[in-house]
Amino acid sequence: MFDSLGKLVNRHGLWICLVWVGIAAVLWAVAPDWNSVTKDDDVSFFPADYPSVIGQGLLARGFPQDLSSSSAVIVAERPGAKLSVEDLAYVDRISAEIRELADDNGKDPRTDHGNGILRVLDRNEPYIGARFQSPVTEKGQAALVVTQLRGTYVSRDARLAVGRVNDIVDKVAPAPTGLNIAMTGAAVVGRDSNVASTKSVKDTTNATIALVVIILLVVYRSPLLALIPIATIALSVVISIWSIALLTKVPGLNFQVINITDVFVIVVLFGAGTDYCLFLIARYREELARGLRGEEALSEAIRQIGGALVASAGTVILGLGMLWFSVFRKIQYTGPAIALSLVIGLIGSLTLAPVLLHWLRGLVFWPFQPPHHTKGADPDEESLQETPLYGFWTKVSNVVVKYPGWILGTSIALLIPFAVIGAQTQSSYDLLADLGPEQPSIIGSQMFQKYFSVGDLGPTTVLIKQPSIDFRSPEGQRKIEQFARELLKLPNVGEVRAVSRPIGKPLPLEGFARRLILEGAAQFQRLRGKNVDTKAIEEKLLGNYVSIAAKDDADRDHITRVDVIFKTSPFALASLKTLDQVRDAASAAVAKGGVFEGTGASQTGFTGTTSLIHDLKRVTIEDQRRMYWLVTGGVYVILVILLRRPGICLYLIATVILGYLASLGITELVFKALHTGPNPWSGLDWKVGFFLFVILVAVGEDYNIFLMARVIEEERKHGPIEGTRRAVAHTGGIISSCGVIMAGTFGSMLFGSLTTLRELGFALGLGVLLDTFVVRPILVPAFVVLIHRAKPGGKLESPIITGEESPAAAAEVH
């Protein structure tokens, strides 16, 4: 196959380029815009039986008028003093403007969506208005305007709605002197996170391209030689992005694109794809140095390196493709999307890059002379001199072969302590920790916490459907109050709001006391010019917590919601632990003998930011455990098929996992030491450990295959020990160059503004460097040498990754 490919490249290069250009033109014409097909709503990606999904369904059925999944909170603060009449009037103007927008919830011509605003709550709300204005303290006083939104905190609809609210705040006349205005809330946090993510994509893309160009120029010092991988991978990235977007339009596939997929496509493809081109170029230089002419050298390079390229790329593609078996659909679609981009990059490296090499011929090495064979010189030595840093890697290979046991033991001893730390790391799901202190939502959150409970930024809502209980009745409300009191016993629960306690304090369920309180609230509204009565206020309170507006008769009055406010941030680990206790309390309440006995599990759900994060943690942990086995097992099977040595293959897997754990441990130590936030260190973001494992295991075996392919090739000529030494000397320079490029592309994530991307970029870059300079040139060859010394005469055979020497090459060499 690779013989035929070499002939095709040499004879029909123009047609190959025209095919690439044609594919790009067709995709440009038919592929949808990337931003129009990306998804970012976590709830839609969870399995149907998850509590957040059930809760969202119950909320839609029981409270269609209040289907809010997140909120944007405007905080108006008068530091050190009471809010003045002018201050409150200014806040009321903002509230009125947002309410007018909410009432006019037509189609937005830019997005063809509603404006995303459900309703507005402020200090003027009947009875519950007191929740939105703090008492006067030595710190001052603050008032809130809470805009409830239809989308979840990370959704595009919520993000656009936050932008509209922000525009209104900017439009209202300047605030009174000394009044501080800020925005926070889960939706604002999600908006800031998305803005930072978008900026990170741009910064990471620019940094990736710049780093690859710089490294290629430093390694090869030939501008045209550096240009070939850049041009090949740049076109592959564009075609990949368009192809992934087009998959969303394939009937029956139901493929979805996640909003951060393009970051991974760019970084992984520029890293791995450039490596593929460099391995081809390196072998091309070797064949020229052995004495082959241009076309023959190119054909021989493709023939010798093609199998190894396909095999090594196959491990990465398989590893990422295994993510298709994830339960969380964000991960399920992201892995195959990156794998598809690598397939395109691999094809480009074996077709487009060779064509460019063929066309440019000797000019590609300018300002230096092309590699060539000097008559009478040793071809092997000449080809070795064409590899980067050949002198250094020759010395390394000599030491490894001479002292394999000492080298192996020392390297493992140095890595194990970090690996132990890596195995004990805890993942963080705190979105606030992902943002810098300059972000608007963080500034607003700090202002909010001075006057209100931080849990009010994202209450957790328990939704319960019980067909045999009328929650509108006094008896039903008594049961709800009994459940609320059980929740208040939990140590991290600050307040519970339900139909029996709308502002967190028990409201008399019936009788004169209840009528007196509601009449007072009605009178307050009348003084403000609003014609309301006691019944209207009672109906509104009931409508907030009982499904009196449900469309289905079976749901009407039989679904209740209970809002639970934690003492900690909705993103904090403590809140996640408390939610476990709340769910246990809800399970006990609906179990036999419980206050809501007869309610099924499918009729108990949870909504709110903490619930979303809790389900996100659950699904990602389950997927991570699944991927440990699937990715590792899949890569191991490929290695066994290629190398036919199960024991060595098992060791290769073990070295990569050791490198993964050590990288994770070092990353944990570094970012914990650098942590300066107001909250304690909560651990690395969950995406770090997950994607570090999948990518590092796959990429690590990628380099393993390149090394072992050369070991097999050299072993045929020089025996196992000398063959291993020569293999390390020949591949050390190119693998280290590729590793530096790969680490550089991953390291470009450090230029992003999200903490998650910086952590992931550092971890991946470090992992690749450890793999390149420790695992590959030391741990693997030292083990191979020890194995051969223990069992002399054994050989590796793998016609899949390296073929017999071609007659042309044999004639030139011998």
Side-chain angles (χ1 to χ4, degrees):
M1 179 179 70
F2 295 109
D3 284 335
S4 300
L5 182 59
K7 294 176 183 177
L8 181 66
V9 166
N10 285 319
R11 297 175 185 176
H12 303 291
L14 179 60
W15 283 106
I16 291 175
C17 287
L18 289 176
V19 168
W20 275 94
V21 173
I23 292 173
V26 170
L27 288 172
W28 175 80
V30 301
D33 177 69
W34 180 266
N35 292 325
S36 69
V37 297
T38 55
K39 305 283 186 180
D40 50 15
D41 186 352
D42 283 339
V43 173
S44 64
F45 295 109
F46 290 150
D49 61 343
Y50 270 43
S52 291
V53 181
I54 296 172
Q56 197 71 12
L58 288 173
L59 190 64
R61 288 161 51 189
F63 305 89
Q65 82 289 355
D66 191 23
L67 190 56
S68 175
S69 300
S70 63
S71 62
V73 180
I74 299 170
V75 187
E77 173 202 33
R78 172 65 64 179
K82 180 181 179 181
L83 290 166
S84 67
V85 173
E86 291 78 13
D87 294 338
L88 294 174
Y90 173 78
V91 174
D92 290 345
R93 286 200 303 273
I94 291 177
S95 180
E97 290 280 350
I98 301 173
R99 187 172 283 108
E100 182 179 343
L101 178 62
D103 293 339
D104 183 25
N105 196 22
K107 292 292 185 180
D108 185 324
R110 296 171 299 174
T111 62
D112 196 35
H113 286 75
N115 59 39
I117 298 174
L118 180 67
R119 65 174 179 172
V120 182
L121 302 174
D122 59 20
R123 69 188 186 92
N124 299 313
E125 288 295 314
Y127 189 67
I128 64 172
R131 285 169 25 193
F132 305 101
Q133 186 170 325
S134 74
V136 181
T137 67
E138 67 277 2
K139 296 178 182 178
Q141 189 180 23
L144 306 178
V145 177
V146 178
T147 306
Q148 294 183 333
L149 307 178
R150 298 182 184 278
T152 59
Y153 73 100
V154 291
S155 69
R156 182 170 178 266
D157 286 348
R159 187 165 67 250
L160 294 173
V162 169
R164 297 183 184 103
V165 172
N166 195 79
D167 290 343
I168 288 175
V169 175
D170 292 340
K171 184 180 73 172
V172 174
T177 303
L179 184 70
N180 297 328
I181 302 294
M183 285 184 65
T184 188
V188 184
V189 173
R191 187 276 308 267
D192 288 351
S193 178
N194 189 273
V195 169
S197 177
T198 301
K199 183 178 183 298
S200 295
V201 171
K202 181 179 179 181
D203 294 343
T204 298
T205 301
N206 295 335
T208 297
I209 296 173
L211 284 170
V212 170
V213 170
I214 291 170
I215 294 171
L216 286 174
L217 289 175
V218 169
V219 172
Y220 286 114
R221 296 170 294 165
S222 302
L224 292 177
L225 202 58
L227 180 64
I228 288 175
I230 294 295
T232 301
I233 301 308
L235 182 58
S236 299
V237 166
V238 171
I239 289 178
S240 297
I241 295 292
W242 288 338
S243 299
I244 294 167
L246 188 60
L247 287 178
T248 63
K249 302 300 181 183
V250 177
L253 185 59
N254 194 30
F255 193 85
Q256 300 179 44
V257 178
I258 314 306
N259 58 340
I260 61 168
T261 301
D262 49 350
V263 176
F264 289 104
V265 168
I266 292 168
V267 170
V268 173
L269 198 49
F270 263 100
T274 302
D275 284 0
Y276 303 151
C277 291
L278 289 191
F279 276 105
L280 174 68
I281 292 171
R283 193 58 187 246
Y284 178 52
R285 293 171 65 99
E286 283 193 42
E287 299 305 330
L288 288 173
R290 291 177 185 274
L292 295 182
R293 298 182 180 273
E295 291 187 1
E296 294 175 332
L298 188 57
S299 294
E300 184 64 14
I302 293 173
R303 197 184 74 84
Q304 289 287 354
I305 204 69
L309 275 177
V310 172
S312 60
T315 62
V316 185
I317 292 167
L318 175 70
L320 291 167
M322 283 293 180
L323 295 180
W324 178 258
F325 298 101
S326 300
V327 173
F328 189 32
R329 289 196 292 274
K330 269 195 172 183
I331 297 172
Q332 182 184 32
Y333 295 123
T334 299
I338 303 172
L340 173 63
S341 71
L342 282 173
V343 172
I344 294 171
L346 174 65
I347 295 172
S349 302
L350 288 172
T351 56
L352 188 57
V355 168
L356 297 177
L357 282 172
H358 173 63
W359 284 354
L360 292 172
R361 300 182 185 275
L363 185 64
V364 76
F365 299 103
W366 180 86
F368 303 99
Q369 291 294 320
H372 59 281
H373 172 58
T374 302
K375 191 174 182 179
D378 183 0
D380 282 344
E381 186 63 28
E382 287 182 304
S383 66
L384 179 60
Q385 292 177 8
E386 288 301 319
T387 62
L389 301 174
Y390 72 93
F392 170 78
W393 287 107
T394 298
K395 293 178 182 178
V396 169
S397 64
N398 290 338
V399 173
V400 170
V401 169
K402 189 174 182 180
Y403 307 106
W406 284 102
I407 293 289
L408 186 64
T410 302
S411 300
I412 292 177
L414 291 174
L415 290 177
I416 281 181
F418 298 112
V420 171
I421 295 173
Q424 298 173 344
T425 57
Q426 297 292 321
S427 295
S428 170
Y429 292 80
D430 188 350
L431 198 61
L432 288 175
D434 208 16
L435 298 172
E438 76 288 349
Q439 294 290 343
S441 58
I442 302 301
I443 296 172
S445 174
Q446 293 171 349
M447 186 185 298
F448 181 96
Q449 292 179 52
K450 291 165 62 177
Y451 305 97
F452 302 93
S453 169
V454 65
D456 269 313
L457 287 174
T460 292
T461 299
V462 185
L463 290 119
I464 296 172
K465 179 183 177 182
Q466 171 51 276
S468 62
I469 298 178
D470 180 358
F471 290 116
R472 188 171 186 164
S473 68
E475 180 60 28
Q477 294 182 41
R478 287 190 184 93
K479 291 181 179 292
I480 294 171
E481 177 62 18
Q482 184 178 343
F483 176 57
R485 292 180 184 277
E486 289 298 317
L487 294 178
L488 283 168
K489 295 177 182 179
L490 301 177
N492 194 39
V493 172
E495 192 173 73
V496 176
R497 297 171 191 154
V499 67
S500 61
R501 46 173 60 232
I503 59 173
K505 298 177 181 178
L507 176 68
L509 302 182
E510 53 189 335
F512 176 75
R514 180 182 180 89
R515 290 195 301 273
L516 184 63
I517 291 173
L518 296 180
E519 178 57 34
Q523 183 61 30
F524 175 77
Q525 293 298 311
R526 294 188 197 110
L527 291 174
R528 300 184 60 82
K530 296 182 179 180
N531 187 20
V532 297
D533 57 20
T534 303
K535 185 177 181 181
I537 291 180
E538 185 162 21
E539 286 294 307
K540 188 165 185 178
L541 290 179
L542 283 171
N544 286 336
Y545 296 103
V546 178
S547 57
I548 63 176
K551 296 180 180 179
D552 193 328
D553 290 341
D555 293 329
R556 193 171 300 124
D557 299 335
H558 296 295
I559 299 177
T560 189
R561 57 179 292 176
V562 178
D563 294 331
V564 186
I565 291 81
F566 300 146
K567 297 176 183 178
T568 49
S569 163
F571 301 97
L573 180 61
S575 295
L576 297 178
K577 293 179 179 179
T578 304
L579 181 58
D580 281 326
Q581 298 172 325
V582 171
R583 289 185 173 180
D584 290 343
S587 297
V590 301
K592 186 175 181 179
V595 64
F596 302 128
E597 181 180 351
T599 303
S602 63
Q603 296 173 309
T604 305
F606 300 80
T607 65
T609 302
T610 306
S611 181
L612 284 174
I613 294 174
H614 191 283
D615 283 352
L616 174 65
K617 181 178 181 180
R618 171 186 166 186
V619 73
T620 52
I621 288 176
E622 290 176 358
D623 281 343
Q624 191 167 21
R625 291 169 179 166
R626 187 179 295 107
M627 287 307 105
Y628 283 158
W629 293 104
L630 287 177
V631 174
T632 304
V635 171
Y636 177 73
V637 168
I638 286 184
L639 287 174
V640 171
I641 293 173
L642 295 175
L643 302 180
R644 302 182 181 181
R645 287 288 185 91
I648 290 180
C649 293
L650 191 62
Y651 174 77
L652 295 179
I653 291 288
T655 59
V656 173
I657 293 177
L658 177 63
Y660 155 72
L661 290 174
S663 302
L664 194 62
I666 295 173
T667 304
E668 166 83 10
L669 292 174
V670 169
F671 280 88
K672 185 176 182 179
L674 295 175
H675 178 68
T676 57
N679 298 320
W681 170 253
S682 57
L684 298 172
D685 187 85
W686 70 269
K687 291 183 282 294
V688 176
F690 192 103
F691 285 104
L692 177 65
F693 177 82
V694 174
I695 294 176
L696 204 57
V697 167
V699 171
E701 299 310 338
D702 186 354
Y703 291 156
N704 266 334
I705 291 172
F706 279 120
L707 172 62
M708 295 307 297
R710 194 58 182 254
V711 168
I712 293 168
E713 181 182 343
E714 297 294 336
E715 182 184 275
R716 289 171 174 166
K717 305 175 186 177
H718 306 287
I721 305 298
E722 178 62 15
T724 301
R725 189 192 70 80
R726 288 175 174 266
V728 173
H730 273 284
T731 62
I734 187 60
I735 288 180
S736 61
S737 299
C738 290
V740 169
I741 289 174
M742 180 76 81
T745 58
F746 287 138
S748 65
M749 292 184 185
L750 290 168
F751 292 93
S753 53
L754 284 177
T755 302
T756 297
L757 287 181
R758 292 197 291 267
E759 291 174 351
L760 185 57
F762 180 87
L764 285 168
L766 174 65
V768 170
L769 290 178
L770 280 177
D771 195 73
T772 301
F773 291 98
V774 179
V775 174
R776 209 59 47 242
I778 296 177
L779 296 185
V780 172
F783 182 78
V784 170
V785 169
L786 288 173
I787 288 293
H788 282 300
R789 285 182 177 176
K791 294 183 178 181
K795 290 187 177 182
L796 294 170
E797 296 291 343
S798 179
I800 297 176
I801 58 175
T802 182
E804 294 296 332
E805 201 169 34
S806 69
E812 292 290 341
V813 173
H814 301 295

